[in-house]
Amino acid sequence: MFGKIIGTGSYIPRQFITNEDLTNYIDTSDEWITDRTGVKKRHIMKDETTADMAVEAARKAVEQAGIHVNEIDMIIVSSVSSNVILPNTACYVQDKIGAVNAFCFDINTACTGFIMAYNTAQSYIDTGLIQTALIIGAEGLSKIVDWSDRGTCILFGDGAGAAIIKKDSEAVFDTVMHADGSMGAALTCDNGFAYRPRLIDETENKTMSQEEKNAQSQEGHLNQIQNTYVQMNGQEIFRFAVKQVPECIQELMKKMQINKDEIDMFILHQANSRILQGIAKRLKVSLEKIPMNVSEYGNTSSACIPILLDELFRTGELKEGDKIIMSGFGAGVTLAATYLEV
Ligand code: ACO
């Protein structure tokens, strides 16, 4: 038996940067960014952190679901850009919302992350291990983007989205998931740990002096700092998404023996509008069935899909009984398509 989404929530920082604002820092224009990506602005954290945004999105999802936090058996946070490594962000959320009965873990499958969290929750429900899960996509990408690199900084924004999934005898679930690590170099970001100085000098068999540590740190810093920001081969990612996402969705529909006309909505990772238009064209699906909010938020990686889901639920565009395919795709490379009924 699987679960149904019974509540969603999201958190968007108030502060935002428009395309026009960006022209003060980099050689670009509103026209170029809008034509190539569809992004008009991106919201950026100011006083909040990634973990704080996850907490706020979670609170709203719990409130909308109308459950008590003690009912939550599991919390999964998907993020590539959390401000905390230890404890994991899910444990941070558990503490802040008081979900004392939940066990907690984080996952990193980049922009596919929310779908992987959803699929993981469904698998735990199906095995009978849990009844209720809180899943969250939360990203503070503004902290890992190089704001002097016009090829990447124009694309990304910050935000968080969450959903509560509860065991339901009516729930329907199926999925297709893929990864291709050989394409990993197309989108990378180091955490910088490898460049930190060691505290000992093995060759001399002694601890390093402060000057030696500083020198090693600076050398590593100067050589490698760039790798701690998002590096992207935009055209390779574009080709991957436009070709492989429709194939993945078609594979799912074939597996389930359903066709695209039976699907009410395709809720896709909001990478950029040209990618979404390319996917629609290959699937031969009207853009009306592919909701977009990328112009307002940019690409918020694993937060894109839950933020969009929350908007669609709250505006009533998603209705009980609607048949949906969600699809996430991103760094790794990873991709997944998942079927659900509202
Ligand atoms: N403003 C103005 N000019 C720019 C900008 C900018 N912000 N960025 C790049 N350019 C210039 C380049 O320098 C280049 O100039 P040149 O011809 O003088 O060398 C020219 O524009 C063309 O550059 P390309 O990189 O070839 O531009 P392209 O048409 O590929 O568009 C883009 C770039 C928008 C990044 C595109 O490749 C794309 O959409 N890729 C998908 C990437 C993506 O969505 N990644 C998100 C993360 S992964 C995920 O979510 C799936």
Side-chain angles (χ1 to χ4, degrees), residues 36 77-78 97 113 153 188 199 204 218-219 222 232 273-275 320-321 324 329 333 335 340:
R36 306 274 175 129
V77 172
S78 164
I97 67 171
C153 74
T188 61
L199 298 182
E204 295 287 325
Q218 271 177 13
E219 199 181 308
L222 293 175
M232 179 182 73
S273 58
R274 267 202 317 155
I275 288 182
E320 199 173 340
I324 297 172
F329 44 96
V333 293
L335 75 162
L340 68 143

Side-chain angles (χ1 to χ4, degrees), residues 28 32 36 111 150 187 232 234-235 237 269 272 299 329:
T28 190
W32 194 97
R36 306 274 175 129
C111 307
R150 67 178 183 172
L187 188 50
M232 179 182 73
Q235 292 184 0
I237 292 290
H269 167 51
N272 71 55
N299 178 343
F329 44 96

Side-chain angles (χ1 to χ4, degrees), residues 40-221:
K40 297 295 276 184
K41 60 176 165 177
R42 63 289 294 143
H43 291 248
I44 303 294
M45 297 182 296
K46 194 174 180 193
D47 301 320
E48 53 280 82
T49 65
T50 304
D52 293 335
M53 295 194 296
V55 170
E56 291 310 315
R59 284 196 175 120
K60 289 181 189 159
V62 170
E63 187 188 332
Q64 204 200 43
I67 59 166
H68 192 278
V69 283
N70 287 354
E71 292 175 57
I72 301 170
D73 303 311
M74 178 170 81
I75 302 173
I76 308 175
V77 172
S78 164
S79 185
V80 297
S81 52
S82 188
N83 52 302
V84 288
I85 295 169
L86 299 173
N88 64 47
T89 310
C91 278
Y92 182 87
V93 172
Q94 184 227 32
D95 180 45
K96 295 293 175 201
I97 67 171
V100 290
N101 294 324
F103 68 93
C104 308
F105 57 94
D106 292 358
I107 59 168
N108 168 0
T109 31
C111 307
T112 316
F114 184 78
I115 305 297
M116 295 309 299
Y118 181 86
N119 290 355
T120 305
Q122 291 290 13
S123 306
Y124 275 77
I125 291 170
D126 191 38
T127 55
L129 280 170
I130 66 162
Q131 303 224 354
T132 306
L134 163 61
I135 58 169
I136 305 166
E139 303 287 2
L141 299 173
S142 61
K143 300 287 186 190
I144 63 166
V145 161
D146 175 356
W147 288 94
S148 65
D149 175 12
R150 67 178 183 172
T152 53
C153 74
I154 56 161
L155 293 167
F156 300 103
D158 300 337
I164 303 281
I165 305 166
K166 192 175 165 78
K167 188 173 177 177
D168 188 317
S169 57
E170 308 269 291
V172 185
F173 168 76
D174 210 335
T175 191
V176 165
M177 297 172 278
H178 292 293
D180 179 0
S182 73
M183 278 186 69
L187 188 50
T188 61
C189 183
D190 282 8
N191 57 21
F193 296 167
Y195 320 129
R196 285 187 181 169
R198 282 192 304 275
L199 298 182
I200 53 163
D201 181 343
E202 300 96 329
T203 46
E204 295 287 325
N205 205 19
K206 65 175 179 63
T207 50
M208 283 184 182
S209 68
Q210 194 56 47
E211 290 76 34
E212 286 169 324
K213 281 185 214 161
N214 290 347
Q216 189 177 336
S217 172
Q218 271 177 13
E219 199 181 308
H221 191 72

